[in-house]
Amino acid sequence: MTIKTFILHVAKYTGLFALMRRVTRKSPRILCYHAGNIGDERYYNPKLFCTSKQLRQRLEWLRTRGFVPASLEQVIMPGGAGMAGIPVAVTIDDGWYSTYRDLLPALAEYGHKPVLYLHSEACDAGAPIIPVTLRYLAWKASAREITLEGYGVGMDGIWNLADARQRESLVGAAEKWLNAEPPQAVARCLERFGASLGVSAAELDLASRRFSYMTTEELRTASGAGCRIELHGHAHVYLPGQPHRNQENIELNRKRIRAAGLPYPTHYCYPSGCFDDYAPDVMRAAGVSTATTCIPGLVDLRDPDARYYLPRFLDGGDVSMIEFEAEMCGVLAFLRALTRRSQHPRRALHPTTA
């Protein structure tokens, strides 16, 4: 048990969690998830891949502690929209197939109608997500030192996968190689690269779609069941200091969502949690009603532009239950304020996932 965990347990059992939950009951919370888990990918990246068992544990705790499902429209209404409980909205980034398989059914059981921020470029391509799959292969590789041949300049040679710099250099070179391939060839190339690293096609298991996004038909099915398909950029990027390009990216994202036969989207999530001071103007120009960040905290709407910098707690397999409870009760927000380490709501975070 770490010192932090010990302190949180003491705080919980002395009543601070319950007290802060009551004190902050009018402040909505926003949760963020990314993907479910089909194989062993949760061990490689526990922040990105979350099991349905863990999600149900979280949802059951929320239900028994007075939290109630809320939409983003309710989140930005004063006083928690007058809801009979603590409002909590659930958001999901990207559009992973395992979200459709594992997370959406669990959320539906507990009455949540989540927002899914769709990265439409990758969805349109229909191929496994290259950066995530490559890093999985580097993690899964059976040999620490490998020799590559026949891949070309930048990849051929001896690589020490135990060295973080060499590992990232290899992944970067492999990304360039794969990005030059047509989408229909990506899976075959990934299997070839995996074999060179000692990971068989069966172990990689691309057929399970654990590294792929949902299809258009699956998105429509999810939408029909109450999941709102919203904006995450056509390209998974927000470019600081380039408002016109960011607006164009959002509008192309919306165009692709509408072309899939889905309702008109008005909510946006900053890709990789990156944004700048131009963001409110970009959002207004693009017809966006809310925008979420990757910064944890309680929703506070006193700033006129706060709806464009909404905080979210990124839950995942690397978050213990006591940490989850502390965040949702408002304890960690309180401690961050006390220690003056809370980030300014307009500071961008570093990327955490693909």
Side-chain angles (χ1 to χ4, degrees), residues 37 94 103 242 306:
N37 181 81
D94 301 332
L103 304 188
Q242 301 188 48

Side-chain angles (χ1 to χ4, degrees), residues 172-187:
E175 276 194 60
K176 291 180 181 179
W177 165 57
L178 285 165
N179 285 330
E181 297 289 330
Q184 61 270 23
V186 168

Side-chain angles (χ1 to χ4, degrees), residues 36-56:
N37 181 81
I38 294 174
D40 62 352
E41 58 270 24
R42 70 187 183 278
Y43 300 115
Y44 139 70
N45 190 334
K47 177 62 76 181
L48 185 61
F49 300 102
C50 173
T51 67
S52 58
K53 179 180 179 181
Q54 177 181 325
L55 178 59
R56 284 185 170 88

Side-chain angles (χ1 to χ4, degrees), residues 259-272:
L262 295 161
Y264 189 88
T266 61
H267 300 283
Y268 176 72
C269 169
Y270 298 102
S272 300

Side-chain angles (χ1 to χ4, degrees), residues 21 24-31 62 65-90 112 297-299 311 328:
R21 199 163 60 243
T24 62
R25 66 187 181 280
K26 295 287 184 68
S27 299
R29 282 74 156 157
I30 304 176
L31 278 168
L62 291 170
R65 298 307 189 280
F67 290 86
V68 293
S71 66
L72 289 177
E73 285 81 5
Q74 290 171 318
V75 161
I76 61 173
M77 290 178 67
M83 302 181 73
I86 306 171
V88 57
V90 178
H112 288 272
L298 307 178
V299 174
M328 297 309 290

Side-chain angles (χ1 to χ4, degrees), residues 84-128:
I86 306 171
V88 57
V90 178
T91 64
I92 305 173
D93 289 5
D94 301 332
W96 296 88
Y97 166 69
S98 55
T99 291
Y100 178 79
R101 197 197 81 155
D102 292 349
L103 304 188
L104 295 186
L107 289 164
E109 288 176 24
Y110 284 84
H112 288 272
K113 295 183 178 180
V115 165
L116 191 158
Y117 297 112
L118 182 66
H119 170 204
S120 53
E121 184 177 47
C123 186
D124 288 351

Side-chain angles (χ1 to χ4, degrees), residues 263-285:
Y264 189 88
T266 61
H267 300 283
Y268 176 72
C269 169
Y270 298 102
S272 300
C274 183
F275 52 84
D276 58 16
D277 288 337
Y278 292 104
D281 292 334
V282 172
M283 298 305 119
R284 282 188 282 265

